[in-house]
C-alpha cells in the first residue's frame, strides 16, 4: 500500500484495542521493531476497508488488531532460545495465570541479536565502494515486552519495544558499506480500561492512556548527520455500545487526545537544519450503527 520513501500510515494497528500508530508520521510497526513474540498472540483480527469512525484517521485501508493471550490461557510459563542463520540468536518467555481471587495477569518478552547477511548491490560495484559488497552492515538488535492484568471489569495493559537496525543500502546517498548507518525505533504505552455492562443490552467503556514514540537516525556523510523524532501523548475515551435489536448495534463515543510533544530535529556537528515541535490536541465524537441484513 506504500510507495518507496512513504510512511506506513494508511493501516491502523491495534494491540488489544490500543492504537499503535505514533503521533508524528502516523505510522505503525509491523517488523521486528514491533517487539512482540508471535507465540504470545492468541489471534489476529482484520477489518478490511475504511474504519476511521471508530478506529482513527489512519484506518484508510484496514484495521489490524493483535489480541494477546490472557493469563488463564498460559496457565504457567514457558521460555525458549533460538539460533539460526546469519548469526541469529534470540529468546522469548511468557508467564501468566488466573489467581483464585479472579485476577488474570500475563507478561511476555523477547529479544534478538542478528548479525545479518553479506549483501551485494551491483549499483555500487566499484573499488571505492568495496565492489558492491556491504560487510557486517545488516545487523538487527531488538527487545520488547507486553503485559496485562485484569480484575473484574478493570484492565491494565502496557507494551514497550526497542529496535536498533543497521542500514546496509547506502540510503539517502550516505556512505555505502559504513557500519555507522543505523536507526533506532522505540515505542511504549500504558492504558487503564474499564468495560462494564449496563443492563442487558448496553455496555459502557472508558479508558485513559499514555503513549511514547522515539526515533533516532544516524547517517554517515563527510560529517555524520542525525535526525530525531519524539512524541508523547495522553488521552481518554468514553463509549457506549447499545444492542437495539439482536441484529442492530448502536455505538456512541467521545475521545480527547492531548499531544504533549510531536517534534522533529535534523542536525550535524556544525549545523542545526531543523528543530520544531508541533503539539496539538484532538477532540472527537462518533456515532456508528451496525445492522446485520441477513
Amino acid at each position: 500500500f506504500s510507495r518507496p520513501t512513504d510512511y506506513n500510515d494508511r493501516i491502523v494497528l491495534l494491540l488489544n484495542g490500543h492504537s499503535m500508530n505514533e503521533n508524528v508520521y502516523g505510522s505503525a510497526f509491523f517488523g521486528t521493531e514491533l517487539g512482540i513474540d508471535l507465540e504470545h498472540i492468541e489471534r489476529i483480527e482484520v477489518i478490511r476497508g475504511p474504519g476511521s469512525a471508530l478506529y482513527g484517521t489512519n484506518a484508510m485501508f484496514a484495521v489490524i488488531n493483535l489480541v494477546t493471550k490472557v493469563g488463564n490461557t498460559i496457565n504457567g510459563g514457558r521460555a525458549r532460545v533460538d539460533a539460526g542463520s546469519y548469526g541469529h540468536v534470540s529468546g522469548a518467555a511468557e508467564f501468566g495465570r488466573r489467581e483464585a481471587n479472579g485476577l488474570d495477569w500475563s507478561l511476555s518478552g523477547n529479544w534478538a541479536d542478528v548479525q545479518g547477511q553479506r549483501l551485494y548491490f551491483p549499483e555500487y560495484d566499484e573499488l571505492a565502494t568495496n565492489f558492491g559488497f556491504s560487510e557486517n552492515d545488516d545487523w538487527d538488535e531488538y527487545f520488547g515486552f507486553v503485559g496485562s492484568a485484569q480484575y473484574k471489569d478493570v484492565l491494565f495493559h502496557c507494551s514497550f519495544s526497542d529496535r536498533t537496525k543497521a542500514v546496509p543500502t547506502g540510503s539517502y546517498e550516505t556512505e555505502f558499506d559504513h557500519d555507522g548507518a543505523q536507526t533506532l525505533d522505540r515505542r511504549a504505552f500504558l492504558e487503564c480500561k474499564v468495560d462494564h455492562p449496563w443492563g442487558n443490552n448496553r455496555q459502557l467503556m472508558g479508558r485513559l492512556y499514555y503513549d511514547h514514540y522515539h526515533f533516532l537516525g544516524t547517517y554517515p556523510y563527510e560529517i555524520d548527520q542525525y535526525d530525531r523524532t519524539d512524541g508523547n501523548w495522553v488521552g481518554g475515551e468514553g463509549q457506549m455500545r447499545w444492542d437495539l435489536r439482536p441484529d442492530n448495534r448502536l455505538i456512541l463515543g467521545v475521545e480527547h487526545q492531548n499531544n504533549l510533544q510531536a517534534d522533529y530535529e535534523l542536525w550535524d556537528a556544525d549545523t542545526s537544519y531543523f528543530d520544531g515541535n508541533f503539539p496539538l490536541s484532538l477532540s472527537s465524537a462518533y456515532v456508528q450503527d451496525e445492522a446485520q441484513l441477513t
Side-chain angles (χ1 to χ4, degrees):
F1 294 119
S2 296
R3 300 175 300 171
T5 75
D6 200 2
Y7 293 99
N8 174 33
D9 59 358
R10 293 172 177 82
I11 294 176
V12 164
L13 177 66
L14 306 176
L15 179 61
N16 296 322
H18 183 94
S19 176
M20 299 298 289
N21 294 64
E22 41 80 16
N23 71 332
V24 179
Y25 309 105
S27 61
F29 295 163
F30 284 99
T32 57
E33 68 273 25
L34 180 60
I36 299 176
D37 180 25
L38 286 179
E39 290 192 26
H40 186 60
I41 294 176
E42 180 71 31
R43 66 183 184 275
I44 300 176
E45 303 171 339
V46 179
I47 302 175
R48 295 175 175 84
S52 296
L54 280 177
Y55 300 105
T57 305
N58 302 96
M60 182 179 293
F61 290 137
V63 179
I64 299 175
N65 186 30
L66 307 179
V67 180
T68 59
K69 295 177 182 177
V70 296
N72 190 47
T73 301
I74 301 170
N75 193 29
R78 68 168 184 88
R80 76 169 194 271
V81 176
D82 304 318
S85 303
Y86 312 121
H88 177 107
V89 180
S90 64
E94 69 174 1
F95 305 93
R97 60 180 296 175
R98 178 172 294 173
E99 306 292 348
N101 62 2
L103 173 66
D104 187 288
W105 63 271
S106 67
L107 179 65
S108 171
N110 70 335
W111 63 270
D113 187 342
V114 185
Q115 295 179 12
Q117 305 181 51
R118 181 177 186 258
L119 300 172
Y120 171 70
F121 299 92
E123 298 87 347
Y124 293 104
D125 194 348
E126 56 184 82
L127 178 62
T129 51
N130 196 31
F131 298 102
F133 286 97
S134 180
E135 310 275 1
N136 303 317
D137 299 324
D138 188 37
W139 53 266
D140 190 0
E141 298 176 355
Y142 59 91
F143 68 93
F145 69 85
V146 57
S148 68
Q150 181 166 5
Y151 182 71
K152 295 183 179 180
D153 298 333
V154 181
L155 169 67
F156 172 84
H157 61 132
C158 62
S159 173
F160 177 87
S161 65
D162 186 288
R163 196 270 301 256
T164 304
K165 177 71 176 69
V167 182
T169 59
S171 58
Y172 302 107
E173 300 183 355
T174 56
E175 293 185 24
F176 180 73
D177 193 33
H178 193 295
D179 60 4
Q182 58 185 263
T183 59
L184 166 67
D185 287 283
R186 184 176 298 136
R187 183 73 172 87
F189 80 84
L190 300 168
E191 179 178 289
C192 182
K193 180 178 179 180
V194 178
D195 214 338
H196 185 72
W198 180 25
N200 295 325
N201 60 347
R202 284 169 296 205
Q203 192 84 9
L204 297 178
M205 185 276 289
R207 66 189 185 101
L208 298 172
Y209 57 87
Y210 163 77
D211 284 75
H212 169 73
Y213 169 67
H214 173 72
F215 170 84
L216 177 64
T218 303
Y219 312 97
Y221 297 99
E222 291 184 2
I223 300 176
D224 284 354
Q225 194 173 98
Y226 309 89
D227 71 345
R228 177 187 58 82
T229 303
D230 279 299
N232 289 284
W233 62 103
V234 296
E237 181 180 14
Q239 182 186 101
M240 181 180 74
R241 302 188 296 278
W242 188 0
D243 292 333
L244 301 172
R245 296 162 39 118
D247 57 359
N248 187 214
R249 171 172 290 180
L250 179 66
I251 301 174
L252 309 169
V254 293
E255 181 175 4
H256 178 75
Q257 184 180 107
N258 190 6
N259 292 267
L260 307 172
Q261 183 182 20
D263 68 10
Y264 176 79
E265 182 180 7
L266 174 65
W267 78 98
D268 60 30
D270 298 330
T271 307
S272 177
Y273 298 99
F274 186 89
D275 187 2
N277 184 29
F278 305 95
L280 69 147
S281 62
L282 174 69
S283 297
S284 60
Y286 55 89
V287 179
Q288 178 162 310
D289 187 80
E290 299 176 355
Q292 184 175 329
L293 300 181
T294 61

